Amino acid sequence: MTKARVLVLISGGGSNLQTLIDSSRTAESSYDIVHVISNRPDAYGLQRAEQAGITARCLDHKAFKERGLFDTALAQMIDEVSPDLIVYAGFMRIMGADFVSRYEGRMINIHPSLLPNFPGLHTHARALEAGVTIHGCSVHWVTAGVDEGAIIGQAGVPIKPGDTPDDLAARVLVQEHRLYPICVQAVASGKAKLVDGRTMIDGKPGGFALLG
């Protein structure tokens, strides 16, 4: 079986990257991580990739005066690799519409909330402030809108009395590490596809749901 070639974009520590690397090396995996790119030179995820024998490079966004120039340079790097799937794993950049449309249907992201609730930043504090009882994470297709793409899978965690944002972040991260390999595997194998703006699992509308 020919495995899908996955390129991962990161900005930080890369704990989700490590989970995906580990998952990719199991017997049932349908994908290989062939390249990692960070927009921050100090991202520990670069070391994780190198330790795993995966080519890792940095394209520092601060070296570009305009967002569009960074987008173009990143697209050139991606096209050199020619991956089947592009995975955001803590990639903290909002990319332009031209970049997103270039890779539509083969670029996914994980977000620390149950979308459409709490897109953007500071999701755990916002969930506590809103008084919701269930929080979690979502894997979705990347679109031009921030965290607006069709959902591939979600994992929920209950909010406990006395929770702090850090408490919640730690429990959600555990679920991220469960959910993301499942979703990447599904997309890489062709089980999950983006069709007319909707996620299709084995040809039917739907997604994956986990409860922590």
Side-chain angles (χ1 to χ4, degrees):
M1 179 184 69
T2 301
K3 292 188 174 184
R5 302 174 72 256
V6 173
L7 182 148
V8 182
L9 299 177
I10 63 170
S11 295
S15 69
N16 270 311
L17 168 64
Q18 187 65 59
T19 300
L20 294 176
I21 291 172
D22 295 343
S23 177
S24 75
R25 295 180 173 179
T26 60
E28 62 272 18
S29 174
S30 61
Y31 69 94
D32 284 323
I33 297 176
V34 298
H35 212 91
V36 173
I37 301 174
S38 172
N39 68 307
R40 296 182 181 274
D42 60 348
Y44 181 64
L46 291 170
Q47 295 184 44
R48 292 182 188 270
E50 290 169 356
Q51 290 166 4
I54 299 168
T55 301
R57 292 190 286 174
C58 175
L59 184 67
D60 191 345
H61 65 277
K62 293 181 180 179
F64 297 86
K65 293 182 179 179
E66 299 177 11
R67 283 182 172 270
L69 295 176
F70 173 80
D71 289 8
T72 299
L74 181 57
Q76 290 173 347
M77 290 179 72
I78 291 172
D79 291 347
E80 288 172 6
V81 179
S82 190
D84 299 304
L85 177 62
I86 301 162
V87 173
Y88 287 23
F91 183 55
M92 302 301 290
R93 293 288 296 176
I94 297 174
M95 305 302 292
D98 288 344
F99 178 93
V100 173
S101 64
R102 187 186 190 104
Y103 305 109
E104 184 177 3
R106 57 190 183 104
M107 188 159 59
I108 66 175
N109 179 47
I110 190 163
H111 179 74
S113 81
L114 294 176
L115 294 171
N117 295 330
F118 315 118
L121 301 176
H122 311 299
T123 60
H124 310 304
R126 290 160 61 198
L128 292 172
E129 290 169 3
V132 298
T133 57
I134 299 290
H135 190 45
C137 55
S138 305
V139 176
H140 64 94
W141 304 96
V142 177
T143 63
V146 177
D147 301 322
E148 291 181 358
I151 292 168
I152 302 167
Q154 293 185 311
V157 299
I159 294 181
K160 301 177 181 179
D163 266 345
T164 67
D166 287 344
D167 295 332
L168 203 48
R171 294 208 307 282
V172 169
L173 187 60
V174 171
Q175 299 309 311
E176 291 182 33
H177 293 168
R178 290 179 64 207
L179 180 67
Y180 218 4
I182 292 171
C183 293
V184 172
Q185 170 77 6
V187 175
S189 68
K191 181 182 181 71
K193 297 180 180 180
L194 180 65
V195 179
D196 296 329
R198 297 191 302 173
T199 298
M200 306 294 284
I201 306 293
D202 290 331
K204 298 179 181 180
F208 300 94
L210 304 177
L211 183 62

